[in-house]
Amino acid sequence: MAVYSRWEPYLAEFRDWGMGGRIMPASRRVGIALALNLFALSGLVFAQAARPARSAAIAVTPDGTRVWVVNPDSGSVTVLETAGDTVVAEIPVGAFPCTVAVSPDGTRVYVANSDSNDLSVIDTTALAELTRVPIGAQPTGVAASPDGTRLYVANTSQGRVTVLDAATLGVVAQIPTAPRPRGLAISADSTRLAVTHYLTPVPQLNATVSIVDTTTNAVLGTVALPVPPGLPGVANFLEQAVFRPGAPVVWLPMVQMETGNPNIQLTTTVHAAFAVIDVNLRQELAPLRTHLERVLSRPVSQPVAIDFSPNGAVALIANQASNDLAILNAGTRAQISLVDVGDAPQGVAVTPDGTKAYVSNYLGRSVSVVSVANPALAAVLRTVTVTPEPLAPGILNGKKLFFTSRGRMSTDNWIACISCHAGGASDGRDWNFTRVDEGIRNTTDIRGIHDSGAVHWTANMDELQDLEFNIRKLQFGAGLINGTPNDPFGASNAGLSQDLDDFAAFMDSILKPVRSNPNRAPAGGLTPQAAQGKTLFESAATGCASCHKGSSFNDSDRALLTRHDVGTLAPGDVNGQSGFDTPSLLHLFDTAPYLHDGSAPTLLDVLTTRNQADRHGVTSNLTPAQRQSLIAYMLQLDNDRDEMSAGAATGLPGTVRLPLFTRDISLTRINATDSMPGNRIWGFDLRLTFPPAGISAVTVEPAGPAAALGIASLNDPPADLVAGRKDYSVVFDAPIPLSINPPAPGDQIGFLVFTIEPGAAAGSIPIGFDGTRSGLRNDTGTKVERPADFNLLATGGSLTVGTPTVADGSSGTAGLLVSSSPGMLQLSWSPIDSSLQPATYNVYRGTLASLFGAGGYDHSCFASGLT
């Protein structure tokens, strides 16, 4: 049994209180002093108590034998043995898994899948997913209570924490919180839950943490994190919360942002920091707020995760942008060591014996194993690859550049693109960019920038390679081009640096989340109120759609720069006198505040107080109910295609044909009002797997709007059937003319055609859909960077061969005998994806001639009501 001395956490608490300049209550001081004296005199060593729990990207099992880590881009989790630091298994889960938690008894692992809105439950003995539980919109954090009774899931886009019974997986409670709950920390006695709120949006200046009583599931109160004296910057990006063992305090990594400084310099932009709060007092221990550049031997960037040694004496902080692990004395907050790890570390977990720390390197697709038995001599023992690379090399290189503060992207590891655009989203803040001739600018959400038109609010760039100037002016980096870049409206900067081209390609590949909008109708699609708002939005009377048009809801692109003066120019604006670019309206629910300067906290403000003289759409004559309908529509504009249904497909003699649809519309916005030339889908990749026996052929047929297109390149190897798979890739000689306007099922681009082997025995044939090798292809021929089940409406499942359940339908005749071939058989398709409907087919087995010869019947083909 693991043991440790119980006195050190008390000493640490003494130090923390003393450094905080606070007077510890006499009763507490005397009690701790007596305990310390008794422990010192007796030399007692106590069995380790339950450790606090937290949501994290990586977790060590309670017995210390295994490590579990999420692979967000691969849609999987990997388990390692700590004895040899070797990979045991990689297990598929839902889309974009964010965090992982292990049950206290070590028998279950829980994974929060942010983009598929579910929770994967894994059996740690079978190393297989037991079930996947729908859990609400955008689950980003999951934590298991130390007493083993409850699971807590943070639904970031819904502003709530979902509580589940760990035994039944049933929902016990929904706890409403402040917006954007993210990090979860549970006390060792399971009575308190700390919940971070990820963003601190304008005009708010205090980040907040909610404290929940887990016995009543009530929010006891919120802890404010104001800007402390001498440590400038508003706290933001509260990714994680972690209880320090042995003390009622929670540590919070964060980024502090000096957004109001009109003359920002390298060291007056963002600061890597952490705060400490007392959950019993429900207040920050303000003197313990720390800027890491002040205590470390070199600056670090983007702290996102913390863990402690088992006795709480040592804190380990993973810094995502500077690719390192800071190890501090938890009592004095002084540096012990600073260790380089892999690309974009997102989590750290210390073993129960305190000898090793495991760091999850998101973009290194690896785990760094760090020796911390002597923290002063901490060093990487080995780096273990945990998942195959899911991205194309250029996209991966661009993503690493986007995530890092190292090298030419900044000076002294200070700032990265993710310092303001974490994950490609917005930081919710208004920055004073007077120094770079802009003025007050609200940080844009660049997810979906491929469809969002020109670059920046003032359309001052016509290609993403022009962001070289942002790297130099805002990140104070050397830039990715050797020499002087071309003027943004002069000669192209594309082709001058492979790194810069990769950086631009990655940014174009970032898509807005699918299925994360909590405002949509329960079954997907628009609510009745939003449908009324759509009519208002598209009416000539309001004029909204005159600028916010097309399926991307804007009217410009990087070739056709269109600006509008809608009366929102502020007196302090250095630029913008010629108007502003029309922003896309997709995902509005997650991008408040609004307008170029963030001066509209809500969409109602956009329509009223910030729409003087109806220059931004004619809305002054709308009734309050009409305004609310219009707002409801805008808040539901998204990439969500849950309303799409594949239908039951079609049965034909000898084959089963399953339709293939596009699902993620963020790169398929094409209709008559679109003017953007770069947002076309030119083809798709597909990989299916199945047993070598049972299926004689698999073909893919272009269909729907793709059926008439010429094929520029095709890969359809026949030999792959022997290996039990179908690899298929097609690029057309013109973009597929897709549209989101027709009703469900949406844009069909092909058929998957399965042919059953002659004489196949009755039984089930599993069909697998390889999401890492499937997906839409954009205009550059590269695969869209998303899990494929959000690009293509396709899924794994099983084909079952059996006998018909209906008669052949001939009037006045007996049903067709199916005892032997030729004859009829039943094929049923049962998809794994519950959003797809199962299908049943009665198909001819053999030729029509053989059937006529056998009995001369006039048969019909039954196919789930479809012909």
Side-chain angles (χ1 to χ4, degrees), residues 146-413:
D147 64 10
T149 63
R150 294 289 185 262
L151 300 173
Y152 298 88
V153 179
N155 291 116
T156 297
S157 66
Q158 285 183 293
R160 75 184 190 196
V161 173
T162 299
V163 187
L164 299 125
D165 184 292
T168 66
L169 300 178
V171 175
V172 174
Q174 304 277 10
I175 305 174
T177 68
R180 298 183 176 92
R182 184 103 167 190
L184 304 173
I186 310 173
S187 60
D189 63 4
S190 299
T191 64
R192 290 293 181 268
L193 170 70
V195 183
T196 71
H197 300 288
Y198 184 58
L199 293 187
T200 307
V202 174
Q204 189 176 339
L205 294 178
N206 298 337
T208 57
V209 179
S210 295
I211 306 300
V212 176
D213 183 336
T214 59
T215 60
T216 62
N217 292 319
V219 176
L220 296 175
T222 59
V223 179
L225 302 172
V227 178
L231 292 176
V234 175
N236 212 355
F237 292 155
L238 272 66
E239 186 86 27
Q240 192 185 46
V242 183
F243 271 93
R244 181 179 174 186
V249 297
V250 168
W251 286 40
L252 309 158
M254 63 178 63
V255 178
Q256 285 188 226
M257 299 179 169
E258 293 194 56
T259 56
N261 188 342
N263 189 31
I264 54 173
Q265 301 298 323
L266 174 69
T267 59
T268 61
T269 51
V270 294
H271 302 272
F274 66 84
V276 182
I277 64 172
D278 186 310
V279 296
N280 291 334
L281 298 176
R282 297 201 294 278
Q283 68 182 41
E284 181 184 5
L285 304 180
L288 301 185
R289 179 83 70 93
T290 302
H291 277 190
L292 287 168
E293 74 265 14
R294 301 191 182 189
V295 300
L296 297 176
S297 56
R298 68 169 189 249
V300 298
S301 184
Q302 209 80 3
V304 294
I306 293 178
D307 200 11
F308 291 92
S309 60
N311 62 10
V314 177
L316 301 90
I317 304 176
N319 304 296
Q320 187 175 35
S322 52
N323 300 344
D324 46 34
L325 180 71
I327 304 177
L328 307 180
N329 181 308
T332 66
R333 293 163 292 139
Q335 175 178 323
I336 298 175
S337 55
L338 187 58
V339 182
D340 288 339
V341 290
D343 290 311
Q346 286 193 336
V348 56
V350 179
T351 55
D353 63 6
T355 61
K356 291 193 289 188
Y358 290 82
V359 180
S360 61
N361 304 312
Y362 168 42
L363 296 182
R365 318 304 188 192
S366 64
V367 167
S368 294
V369 185
V370 183
S371 172
V372 292
N374 183 346
L377 301 176
V380 175
L381 297 173
R382 61 191 61 86
T383 300
V384 183
T385 299
V386 292
T387 185
E389 179 53 55
L391 304 182
I395 298 293
L396 175 64
N397 182 44
K399 189 167 188 173
K400 288 182 177 180
L401 290 167
F402 189 87
F403 271 69
T404 192
S405 60
R406 288 197 162 196
R408 298 173 66 93
M409 296 301 290
S410 188
T411 299
D412 291 339
N413 291 339

Side-chain angles (χ1 to χ4, degrees), residues 561-587:
L561 302 178
T562 303
R563 302 179 181 93
H564 300 277
D565 181 359
V566 292
T568 57
L569 189 71
D573 275 316
V574 178
N575 199 356
Q577 284 75 13
S578 60
F580 296 96
D581 179 63
T582 304
S584 171
L585 299 186
L586 298 174
H587 223 59

